[in-house]
Amino acid sequence: MPSVLEPSNVSLKVAAQALREGRAVAFPTETVYGLGALTLDPRGISEVYRLKWRPSNNPLIAHVLDGRAARALVDDWDPRCDELSSRLWPGPLTLVLRRRPGVPAEAVGGRDTIAVRSPSHPVARRLLEELGGAAISAPSANRSGHVSPTVARHVVEDFASERDLIVIDGGRSEFGLESTVLDLSGRRPVLLRPGTVTLESLRSILGEVDAPTITEQGASPGTAARHYAPRTPAARVPTSGVSAALAKEQRPCAVLCFDPAQVPAPHTAIGMPRDARLYASALYDALRSADTLGCARILVEMPPSSDGLWRAVVDRLTRATA
Ligand code: AMP
Ligand code: MG
C-alpha cells in the first residue's frame, strides 16, 4: 500500500525531497488529486507515466505557484494570460501555451506546447513553496482511463500495489472535476476541456472562445470520447427517464439519479444533488461507489441543463458512459 501522510510540515518536506530525488508523489488539489513529478526532471516524469500506465503522448499539466513561474515555462505569455491569471489564478483554469525549449519533451508528451495551471489548494501551494517555486507536472492520480480521485482513499485504491508511493491527504477536493483547459497557442482560443471555470466566464473575459464538441476533441490526447470511466458498463438515461429505463433492466443496476425514491429493489440508488457545484464534487465518489456494488450496469440520469458548470458535468458523464 502507498503511505498516506497528513499534510504536516514534516510530510511536505519528505514529499519535496522525494520529488527532488526523481520520484512521483500524489497530492491534493482543488480539482482532483494529482500524481506529480518535477517538470524539469525527466526521471520523475517517466515515473508518473509508468505508475499511471499513461500513454507517453498524453501530455501533463504543469502546476505552478503563479504567473511568474508559468512564464518560465512558456514562450508566448501575452496580455490575455495576464488578464486570465490575475482574475482566475490560483484556481481550476489550465492554459495551453507554446513551451520553452528548456522544458523536456517528456513532460509534454512530445508536444511543442505546455499546459500550465496555478492550483489554489493550500497543500498543493505549500508543496510548491517547499520546492522553491519549481513546477510540478501532474496528471490526475488514477490509473489511466479510470475515474479521477477526489479523496486520498481513491488514490490508494488505484495504486494499492505501489508501496513506495507517498500520498499527501488534503481532504476532499473542493470542486471534484478536472480543470478547465483553454488552448491559447493557436489563432483563436479553444476550450479543450470544460471545467469549473465556465465557457461563459471565459467568453466574458476574452470575447470569442471556440468550443469543439466531444467527438472533435479527440484531437487533444486525454480528451478522447471514452475517459474518466468506471469499470462497470455505464449508460445515460434522459432526465426524468429513470423508471422507464429500469423497466427494461433484468439485472440489478446502480442508478445515479436526482430522486432515489424512483428506484425499486433490486436496484441501488445513489442520490445526486440538484445543484451543479455539489453534483460535480460528488460525481467521482458516486461513480467509484457504484463500481463497487457488483451491479450489471450503472445508469446515470442526465442533468436538466448543459449550461455553465453543468457543461463540465455533462462532458464527464458523456465520457464515462461512452
Ligand atoms: P489530466 O491531468 O489527467 O487531467 O490530463 C491533462 C489533460 O490536459 C490532457 O489529457 C490534455 O487533455 C490536456 N493537456 C495537457 N497538456 C496539453 C497540451 N500541451 N496540449 C493540449 N492539451 C493538453
Ligand atoms: Mg486524468
Side-chain angles (χ1 to χ4, degrees), residues 32 147-148 150 176-178 228 280 282-288 316:
V32 300
V147 177
S148 293
T150 52
L177 287 186
E178 301 81 357
Y228 316 109
L283 176 60
Y284 289 153
D285 205 30
L287 285 174
R288 282 178 176 257
R316 302 310 189 276

Side-chain angles (χ1 to χ4, degrees), residues 155-243:
V155 183
V156 173
E157 284 164 7
D158 271 29
F159 296 97
S161 60
E162 303 293 341
R163 291 194 306 183
D164 294 338
L165 180 65
I166 294 171
V167 181
I168 305 179
D169 188 348
R172 183 172 293 274
S173 294
E174 179 188 353
F175 298 124
L177 287 186
E178 301 81 357
S179 59
T180 303
V181 180
L182 178 69
D183 187 351
L184 292 175
S185 68
R187 216 166 40 83
R188 288 158 62 93
V190 182
L191 180 75
L192 294 180
R193 178 170 74 184
T196 313
V197 172
T198 62
L199 180 61
E200 291 82 351
S201 63
L202 292 174
R203 284 185 173 150
S204 77
I205 297 171
L206 295 177
E208 283 186 272
V209 176
D210 293 341
T213 61
I214 286 181
T215 41
E216 287 165 325
Q217 281 184 354
S220 166
T223 52
R226 187 181 156 82
H227 199 62
Y228 316 109
R231 300 193 166 101
T232 312
R236 297 188 291 277
V237 170
T239 314
S240 309
V242 169
S243 301

Side-chain angles (χ1 to χ4, degrees), residues 10-271:
V10 172
S11 353
L12 286 166
K13 284 192 195 313
V14 169
Q17 184 55 26
L19 289 166
R20 283 191 215 98
E21 287 167 6
R23 291 164 54 199
V25 167
F27 63 99
T29 84
E30 72 279 19
T31 60
V32 300
Y33 273 66
L35 181 66
L38 293 185
T39 301
L40 300 183
D41 186 347
R43 292 173 307 170
I45 298 292
S46 71
E47 187 61 4
V48 168
Y49 280 95
R50 183 189 71 76
L51 285 166
K52 269 206 70 149
W53 306 334
R54 185 173 176 104
S56 61
N57 65 350
N58 190 348
L60 311 179
I61 295 172
H63 294 71
V64 292
L65 268 179
D66 50 25
R68 202 163 66 96
R71 280 198 294 274
L73 302 174
V74 309
D75 249 349
D76 52 350
W77 187 269
D78 61 22
R80 296 174 305 176
C81 304
D82 280 325
E83 183 72 14
L84 289 166
S85 63
S86 67
R87 292 213 205 179
L88 298 167
W89 279 8
L93 173 67
T94 297
L95 303 178
V96 173
L97 294 158
R98 305 201 74 75
R99 93 172 134 105
R100 290 221 169 170
V103 176
E106 290 89 338
V108 290
R111 309 195 140 217
D112 50 19
T113 51
I114 182 165
V116 288
R117 169 171 113 77
S118 179
S120 64
H121 195 295
V123 175
R125 299 193 66 77
R126 278 165 63 202
L127 185 57
L128 287 165
E129 276 159 12
E130 191 63 50
L131 291 161
I136 303 176
S137 286
S140 50
N142 52 278
R143 298 278 196 194
S144 197
H146 195 214
V147 177
S148 293
T150 52
V151 291
R153 173 175 49 81
H154 295 161
V155 183
V156 173
E157 284 164 7
D158 271 29
F159 296 97
S161 60
E162 303 293 341
R163 291 194 306 183
D164 294 338
L165 180 65
I166 294 171
V167 181
I168 305 179
D169 188 348
R172 183 172 293 274
S173 294
E174 179 188 353
F175 298 124
L177 287 186
E178 301 81 357
S179 59
T180 303
V181 180
L182 178 69
D183 187 351
L184 292 175
S185 68
R187 216 166 40 83
R188 288 158 62 93
V190 182
L191 180 75
L192 294 180
R193 178 170 74 184
T196 313
V197 172
T198 62
L199 180 61
E200 291 82 351
S201 63
L202 292 174
R203 284 185 173 150
S204 77
I205 297 171
L206 295 177
E208 283 186 272
V209 176
D210 293 341
T213 61
I214 286 181
T215 41
E216 287 165 325
Q217 281 184 354
S220 166
T223 52
R226 187 181 156 82
H227 199 62
Y228 316 109
R231 300 193 166 101
T232 312
R236 297 188 291 277
V237 170
T239 314
S240 309
V242 169
S243 301
L246 284 176
K248 292 183 224 141
E249 294 291 337
Q250 317 289 325
R251 292 180 297 162
C253 293
V255 190
L256 273 61
C257 60
F258 296 104
D259 178 11
Q262 306 168 289
V263 177
H267 309 296
T268 307
I270 299 181

